[in-house]
């Protein structure tokens, strides 16, 4: 019997650190000995850059625009430690659905039995933030990915995007859609950022998979066109990414989250707003005391 391929989708607001986290996760999983494909689904098409010394690769959609018949191997490029890199790509600016690339690329790979032929252990889809367009929901909706993880900081807009994603997951959860593995808390810096994320996951009945600190090592590595796993394998930050990878490799049970309603989310946010103000004014001392 063919082995089961673990298919994971990483979602989150634009600029929150999806590609950085995903690439480090792919790199760490591959160093663990797993055969990994990273599938960039953001029309920005820069998901796999740090796996390939900062270089862009031709996207599936661009290649399809040049010629009508595309063989899968023409759009798969080798990256760090043998990781297979793919960028779905986006439509020409101002034309068509931005999710088109995902639908097209996934179809192409399915028809050509790419995942089976490459003997993959893990496929990671790096997908744009909110589930605004059907195309972006494809990895969830079609049950292509089995587990979804969301990258979020403690900023309200990132949490808002995560909560929207939870709504999308909940919607398709009874129809064979992907379920939620948890939240990857990124850019943890201030003492209260962890408390905010902890409270959010509690409210929405999910969990934090890993707390990833904001780190200059990530910036340095990115400027060299590399993941932290490649550029600074002995750093503390690389250790955090390896810990994340071990948890995700071992992860089996995902769940349906309980997103907050619009008013609930607003109230939740203003409660934290009041608390942070009181903290700044020295009216509350220890963290969590006023909540
Ligand atoms: P996304 O894919 O969500 O749009 P990126 O992964 O491209 O976001 O990250 C946006 C920027 O934030 C990049 O410059 C990246 O280096 C930086 N970044 C992400 N995570 C961290 C972190 N933990 N520490 C420092 N910088 C980070
Ligand atoms: Mg990205």
């Amino acid at each position: 019997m063919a082995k089961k391929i673990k298919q994971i989708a990483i979602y989150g607001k634009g600029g929150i650190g999806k590609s950085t986290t995903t690439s480090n996760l792919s790199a760490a999983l591959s160093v663990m000995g797993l055969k990994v494909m990273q599938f960039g689904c953001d029309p920005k098409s820069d998901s796999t850059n740090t796996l390939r010394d900062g270089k862009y690769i031709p996207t599936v959609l661009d290649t399809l625009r040049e010629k009508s018949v595309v063989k899968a191997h023409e759009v798969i490029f080798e990256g760090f430690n043998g990781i297979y890199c793919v960028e779905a790509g986006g439509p020409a600016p101002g034309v068509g659905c931005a999710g088109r690339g995902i639908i097209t690329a996934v179809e192409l790979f399915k028809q050509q039995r790419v995942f089976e032929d490459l003997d993959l252990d893990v496929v990671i889809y790096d997908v744009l933030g909110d589930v605004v367009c059907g195309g972006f929901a494809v990895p969830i909706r079609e049950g292509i990915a089995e587990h979804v993880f969301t990258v979020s900081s403690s900023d309200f807009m990132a949490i808002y995007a995560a909560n929207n994603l939870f709504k999308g997951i909940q919607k398709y959860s009874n129809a064979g859609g992907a379920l939620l593995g948890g939240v990857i808390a990124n850019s943890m810096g201030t003492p209260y950022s962890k408390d905010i994320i902890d409270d959010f996951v509690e409210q929405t009945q999910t969990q934090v998979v890993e707390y990833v600190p904001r780190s200059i090592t990530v910036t340095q590595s990115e400027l060299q066109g590399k993941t932290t796993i490649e550029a600074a394998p002995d750093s503390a930050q690389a250790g955090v990414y390896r810990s994340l990878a071990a948890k995700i490799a071992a992860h089996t049970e995902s769940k349906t989250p309980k997103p907050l309603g619009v008013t609930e989310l607003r109230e939740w946010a203003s409660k934290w707003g009041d608390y942070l103000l009181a903290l700044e004014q020295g009216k509350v001392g220890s963290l969590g005391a006023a909540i």
Side-chain angles (χ1 to χ4, degrees):
M1 207 181 97
K3 71 178 169 193
K4 191 164 178 336
I5 304 168
K6 195 165 206 165
Q7 306 224 39
I8 295 165
I10 311 274
Y11 281 78
K13 175 187 168 295
I16 207 63
K18 291 179 298 296
S19 301
T20 307
T21 311
T22 307
S23 300
N24 276 290
L25 172 61
S26 293
L29 287 169
S30 85
V31 171
M32 281 167 64
L34 299 177
K35 203 85 205 112
V36 183
M37 175 181 279
Q38 182 164 322
F39 204 117
C41 300
D42 191 321
K44 255 198 300 179
S45 310
D46 62 352
S47 173
T48 57
N49 279 16
T50 53
L51 293 170
R52 295 190 28 92
D53 292 325
K55 290 196 281 287
Y56 284 83
I57 57 176
T59 71
V60 176
L61 278 193
D62 284 346
T63 312
L64 272 169
R65 268 192 283 269
E66 278 160 28
K67 47 185 184 178
S68 52
V69 183
V70 171
K71 293 263 190 320
H73 68 80
E74 295 173 279
V75 290
I76 302 173
F77 297 83
E78 200 176 323
F80 170 73
N81 208 29
I83 296 169
Y84 295 111
C85 301
V86 178
E87 295 286 349
V95 193
C97 160
R100 185 84 232 141
I102 308 176
I103 299 172
T104 312
V106 167
E107 269 311 307
L108 183 84
F109 281 23
K110 264 193 191 166
Q111 278 165 14
Q112 301 186 16
R113 295 184 51 82
V114 170
F115 299 145
E116 295 83 354
D117 290 352
L118 291 178
D119 197 28
L120 296 174
D121 294 301
V122 188
V123 181
I124 312 182
Y125 300 87
D126 173 7
V127 199
L128 188 84
D130 305 67
V131 189
V132 284
C133 149
F136 292 122
V138 163
I140 296 179
R141 200 182 61 204
E142 309 285 317
I144 292 167
E146 197 181 348
H147 308 284
V148 175
F149 293 89
T150 179
V151 179
S152 180
S153 68
S154 61
D155 289 345
F156 182 67
M157 287 322 290
I159 287 183
Y160 179 86
N163 193 62
N164 267 350
L165 171 73
F166 294 180
K167 289 181 184 173
I169 294 173
Q170 193 182 44
K171 188 173 162 70
Y172 298 110
S173 61
N174 291 324
L179 299 180
L180 186 72
V183 175
I184 301 167
N186 191 34
S187 289
M188 295 290 103
T190 56
Y192 55 79
S193 51
K194 191 168 168 286
D195 298 78
I196 293 178
I197 286 280
D198 282 346
D199 189 30
F200 176 67
V201 297
E202 195 185 320
Q203 300 292 327
T204 52
Q205 296 180 23
T206 178
Q207 58 172 345
V208 171
V209 191
E210 192 67 72
Y211 301 95
V212 182
R214 179 149 203 98
S215 150
I216 196 167
T217 317
V218 172
T219 314
Q220 286 161 348
S221 312
E222 186 189 37
L223 291 173
Q224 293 171 33
K226 294 186 189 321
T227 61
T228 300
I229 292 290
E230 183 180 7
D234 300 327
S235 63
Q237 190 78 2
V240 173
Y241 289 126
R242 276 192 294 270
S243 161
L244 172 67
K247 287 177 194 168
I248 287 185
H251 179 89
T252 50
E253 294 299 317
S254 288
K255 294 189 189 131
T256 306
K258 298 277 177 293
L260 298 175
V262 181
T263 321
E264 275 177 307
L265 185 64
R266 209 43 269 167
E267 282 168 6
W268 177 84
S270 53
K271 193 180 68 176
W272 271 103
D274 292 346
Y275 172 68
L276 293 185
L277 186 66
L279 187 71
E280 192 184 49
Q281 294 171 342
K283 290 183 186 155
V284 287
S286 65
L287 283 168
I291 296 290

